Amino acid sequence: MPPWITTPHPHLQHSLITFPTKHILLVTINRPTYMNCLPVSATIELGALWKWYDAEPELRCAVFTGAGNKAFCAGMDLKERLDIVKEGGVAHEYPSGQFAGMSNRAGKKPIVVACNGHAHGGGFEAILNADVIFASPNATFALPEVLRGVSALAGALPRVFLLFGNHRAMDLILTGRRLSVEEAHQWGLVKEIVPQEKLLDRALDYAKEIASLSPDSVIISRLAAREAWETSVSRATMRGQELWAENMLRSENAAEGLAAYREKRQPKWKRSYL
């Protein structure tokens, strides 16, 4: 644990946690033998982790990826889910962020995804709610739930509708077909297609760029933009002003950023207390 982290992160059995540089959190799903699919316990772990990330004052951006070079996340562990159904058991309650603690997460700080292969089912649901996505050439995206007798109810269905429009959304959710990385790039889901061997470094460099900016501005700008998930554009604009404008303008980082501009120097950002 680096000395600039104030509180130890929650214990994780199914994911690896590293800190490549100051202000950056790297989370790697570590189940490559199982295409990085997640049992219920892994989703609960990640839900706790993202809350810790939002609360840790020196962390400013996270990168989320999967181990190996075949899959970011193949979704829910369907074998475990079948066992639960057969035994009449009740799955542990998912965190408020839903699948991977992320598919319905509002959160406070950004998550950049390095999609290193397939993102299917819950894996795609998580990606749809990421902030920025880089993907390898072998990445594919799919909501195959209709092929398994279930449905993608952890946040994906309304998001594909809002992101891609009615007809593209229906094409994906009613057939379960795979969306190629080229299509995902054309549709605006993927920012860049990056060779597998350079993918993680590209995502980390991008995260460092975000982390070099005012943490208050990043947090507030992200939250104000994401209000449009829940409301209309006009209402989201009003909510942004109501909820965050005053705190932003009174923050130390706003004063620092404006002073640095006047003095023609690089700003020295402080911790965010939002």
Side-chain angles (χ1 to χ4, degrees):
M1 191 72 65
W4 46 271
I5 294 292
T6 59
T7 306
H9 63 75
H11 172 74
L12 284 91
Q13 179 182 352
H14 303 289
S15 299
L16 301 175
I17 303 301
T18 55
F19 305 92
T21 189
K22 192 171 184 180
H23 307 310
I24 305 296
L25 170 68
L26 173 60
V27 182
T28 306
I29 303 171
N30 192 33
R31 304 187 83 227
T33 306
Y34 304 97
M35 299 291 283
N36 293 321
C37 70
L38 299 182
V40 173
S41 58
T43 275
I44 293 172
E45 289 175 358
L46 287 167
L49 179 74
W50 298 130
K51 289 183 178 180
W52 170 83
Y53 159 61
D54 280 336
E56 183 57 39
E58 287 288 4
L59 287 173
R60 299 182 184 176
C61 192
V63 173
F64 193 24
T65 192
N69 57 13
K70 294 182 179 180
F72 163 69
C73 175
M76 181 187 298
D77 186 334
L78 294 179
K79 293 180 180 179
E80 179 193 58
R81 181 49 56 96
L82 178 60
D83 290 340
I84 292 171
V85 170
K86 281 187 172 181
E87 295 168 4
V90 177
H92 295 292
E93 187 71 23
Y94 266 14
S96 57
Q98 290 294 301
F99 189 82
M102 182 175 166
S103 66
N104 202 42
R105 169 186 179 263
K108 187 169 72 171
K109 300 175 185 176
I111 298 176
V112 175
V113 166
C115 183
N116 55 307
H118 302 314
H120 295 173
F124 190 23
E125 292 203 79
I127 274 189
L128 286 163
N129 199 31
D131 294 295
V132 181
I133 302 158
F134 296 88
S136 58
N138 66 325
T140 63
F141 308 89
L143 294 172
E145 282 77 1
V146 292
L147 307 176
R148 308 287 182 256
V150 291
S151 185
L153 298 178
L157 301 182
R159 286 192 169 87
V160 292
F161 190 93
L162 289 174
L163 286 169
F164 306 139
N166 178 60
H167 298 98
R168 283 177 168 174
M170 292 305 169
D171 172 43
L172 291 179
I173 67 180
L174 298 182
T175 68
R177 79 169 180 89
R178 294 188 180 188
L179 182 72
S180 70
V181 71
E182 291 81 11
E183 281 183 290
H185 185 257
Q186 291 167 8
W187 289 12
L189 178 71
V190 170
K191 174 176 169 57
E192 292 176 20
I193 303 172
V194 185
Q196 184 79 252
E197 66 274 12
K198 298 179 180 179
L199 176 66
L200 187 56
D201 285 342
R202 177 68 183 101
L204 287 170
D205 285 343
Y206 189 82
K208 291 173 189 175
E209 181 180 347
I210 293 174
S212 71
L213 306 173
S214 164
D216 295 323
S217 293
V218 168
I219 289 168
I220 290 171
S221 297
R222 177 183 176 276
L223 290 173
R226 288 177 62 91
E227 276 290 307
W229 280 123
E230 312 296 340
T231 66
S232 65
V233 172
S234 59
R235 179 59 184 153
T237 301
M238 292 172 61
R239 290 265 296 165
Q241 293 170 348
E242 290 169 1
L243 294 175
W244 301 298
E246 185 174 352
N247 284 339
M248 177 183 66
L249 292 173
R250 289 185 175 183
S251 72
E252 288 184 297
N253 282 319
E256 169 63 12
L258 295 172
Y261 175 77
R262 174 184 288 177
E263 297 163 14
K264 298 181 180 180
R265 60 174 174 80
Q266 290 297 314
K268 297 178 181 179
W269 305 120
K270 299 174 170 53
R271 288 181 173 187
S272 173
Y273 292 96
L274 293 176

